[in-house]
Amino acid sequence: MYKNILVPIDLTQAEKGAAMLSVATSLADAGAKITAINVLEDLPGYVRAELPTGLIEKNTKAAKEDMAKLVKDSGVAAAIHVCDGNPAREILDHAEKIGADLIIVASHRPGLQDYFLGSTAARVVRHAACSVLVTR
């Protein structure tokens, strides 16, 4: 059905990530490319200036290792991409960059902040140029 699937994964909810990779596999055509992406929330400059040297690089390296383990444990052949920035914007930009024809995002029960700002999944659904599957 799909040739190029992007799966954004929140490492604090790894069980949802494994389930989404499984869904991606079931929806993928033979020879399809699956990419798992994790976006580390961007920190304001004044916060970055106060952090110990190397902490951001250490967190990025840990996220890459955790993503690799999650993908390996799920048994899915997927490329891994870890970046930092605004999650919705980074997901949409990467989907466009790789030519994704499907984005699979996880939903969650909205908190109060989501009613004022909107969730990442809602932003991806509203602005994606390709199909978006929201999983519960």
Side-chain angles (χ1 to χ4, degrees):
M1 293 177 74
Y2 296 98
K3 295 179 183 353
N4 199 344
I5 302 172
L6 182 63
V7 183
I9 296 175
D10 179 355
L11 288 171
T12 63
Q13 299 179 359
E15 67 286 344
K16 284 187 179 182
M20 291 188 314
L21 287 170
S22 176
V23 170
T25 302
S26 67
L27 295 173
D29 284 341
K33 180 180 178 189
I34 298 173
T35 303
I37 183 173
N38 176 256
V39 182
L40 302 169
E41 189 76 39
D42 199 17
L43 298 173
Y46 63 87
V47 173
R48 281 180 179 254
E50 298 299 321
L51 294 176
T53 304
L55 183 63
I56 293 173
E57 293 80 10
K58 180 181 172 186
N59 288 344
T60 302
K61 181 180 177 192
K64 287 178 182 177
E65 291 169 356
D66 291 346
M67 287 287 286
K69 182 177 181 341
L70 176 70
V71 168
K72 181 181 178 195
D73 290 349
S74 70
V76 175
I80 297 169
H81 180 73
V82 176
C83 58
D84 66 341
N86 174 279
R89 187 175 319 120
E90 292 297 326
I91 292 165
L92 292 167
D93 287 350
H94 198 68
E96 184 177 334
K97 178 181 174 184
I98 67 170
D101 54 359
L102 177 66
I103 302 171
I104 301 175
V105 296
S107 67
H108 64 279
R109 295 226 180 266
L112 184 59
Q113 73 276 8
D114 294 326
Y115 288 108
F116 294 115
L117 300 173
S119 70
T120 298
R123 287 187 182 119
V124 170
V125 168
R126 278 195 305 269
H127 299 288
C130 62
S131 297
V132 179
L133 173 64
V134 180
T135 63
R136 284 255 174 220

